[in-house]
Amino acid sequence: MRDTTEWLAREVDSWFGDRPFEDGGRVSGSVRLKASWRRGDNVDGGVRLRARVQLPNLKERAYLFFGQDNESDLVTDRQEAFTRERQLLDESRRRDTTGFAGVGYALRERLDLRAGVRSAYKPYIQLRYRQRWAISPRDAVSFRETLFWTSSDGAGSNTSFDYEHAYSPVLLFAWQNSVVITRRDDGAAWSSSLGAFRVFGDQRRLSLELLASGNTSSASVSEYGVRGAWAQPLYRDWVIGELIVGHFWPREHDAVERSRHWAVGGNIELLF
């Protein structure tokens, strides 16, 4: 996969000049095979692909990206903690997943502009801003803002605010928050996670999170739950396996009782 990606990168980079690819060119990405099940849904499986390529002839600020992912998560630039995959929700391959490709350019140190297409012909644009402040040797606050536009849904935004506390070199507590506004929704879709993350060396990590999500158009929380995950290398340092177990209490709207669902998922990720 890496060889194929690098070959493609060299071909595209040669369109823009004679600077050798070794002079600043970089290739990175992953292929993830995933499967999940939530009570009441079918077993869901799929493939996720993400690749990023630095092109020397487009200067160091430009890069190409391509892959396959959930269309809504891709366009809104949703944090990993709140993606449908991490929430162990069923995804229709035809309706939810899409191939994508595009080009990005770093306008400034923390600001970049991305333009791409998904589903082979649907364009989208993202303007992304990232900032992180260290408020103490153990505490940090992060802010992310993504403004996006699609040909079908118009303009929208994703605002994220995170707080992290490093209790020790191997134990981290994090509070993550996201608010997504789109033309499709009457209100703003919000998500929040409070979690503990423990690393054990050699890419082994354990996490436990409390989750909640909803929409400002409704007075109640649409879903809350708990999610635990364990990840470790399966082969050297570039094949990573992960097991995710969750218990969720969703409710479609205020007029119905809240249900409760167990869910389990797993994935194997190949880094390149």
Side-chain angles (χ1 to χ4, degrees), residues 40-51:
D41 294 332
N42 297 322
V43 176
D44 180 49
V47 179
R48 292 289 185 270
L49 167 64
R50 285 185 174 268

Side-chain angles (χ1 to χ4, degrees), residues 53-255:
V53 181
Q54 296 290 140
L55 301 180
N57 284 300
L58 283 179
K59 301 182 180 180
E60 295 182 355
R61 292 187 175 185
Y63 59 91
L64 292 179
F65 60 90
F66 63 89
Q68 179 171 316
D69 209 336
N70 178 277
E71 184 168 3
S72 176
D73 294 342
L74 169 71
V75 171
T76 61
D77 196 24
R78 188 168 282 118
Q79 291 167 273
E80 183 180 2
F82 307 127
T83 62
R84 289 186 65 87
E85 179 183 353
R86 298 298 297 184
Q87 293 178 332
L88 303 175
L89 292 168
D90 181 45
E91 295 178 289
S92 167
R93 296 181 185 178
R94 182 175 299 176
R95 185 186 71 249
D96 297 326
T97 60
T98 180
F100 65 91
V103 60
Y105 188 80
L107 300 173
R108 298 187 183 280
E109 182 180 357
R110 300 179 181 89
L111 182 68
D112 69 321
L113 177 67
R114 291 160 55 109
V117 292
R118 66 201 197 281
S119 299
Y121 63 91
K122 298 179 183 178
Y124 71 98
I125 299 173
Q126 295 172 330
L127 182 65
R128 311 191 308 173
Y129 176 76
R130 305 287 184 272
Q131 181 63 278
R132 181 180 174 87
W133 298 274
I135 57 179
S136 79
R138 292 190 175 187
D139 300 274
V141 172
S142 300
F143 172 78
R144 307 183 350 156
E145 180 71 30
T146 299
L147 304 178
F148 56 86
W149 174 90
T150 71
S151 57
S152 56
D153 298 327
S157 67
N158 181 1
T159 304
S160 303
F161 179 84
D162 303 338
Y163 167 75
E164 298 177 356
H165 172 71
Y167 182 79
S168 72
V170 297
L171 180 59
L172 176 75
F173 294 98
W175 180 34
Q176 304 178 73
N177 301 274
S178 175
V179 177
V180 177
I181 300 174
T182 64
R183 195 176 66 177
R184 285 185 177 181
D185 296 327
D186 295 333
W190 60 269
S191 302
S192 185
S193 165
L194 181 64
F197 304 84
R198 174 74 157 84
V199 296
F200 295 88
D202 297 329
Q203 295 180 290
R204 289 172 168 81
R205 59 185 184 271
L206 177 67
S207 64
L208 182 63
E209 297 171 87
L210 300 176
L211 306 164
S213 60
N215 194 294
T216 57
S217 62
S218 173
S220 65
V221 177
S222 61
E223 179 174 280
Y224 58 83
V226 59
R227 177 177 65 204
W230 169 259
Q232 70 173 58
L234 300 179
Y235 180 73
R236 296 186 178 178
D237 60 349
W238 56 272
V239 180
I240 311 299
E242 183 178 32
L243 176 64
I244 308 171
V245 178
H247 193 71
F248 303 95
W249 289 264
R251 181 162 63 182
E252 294 184 5
H253 49 81
D254 296 343

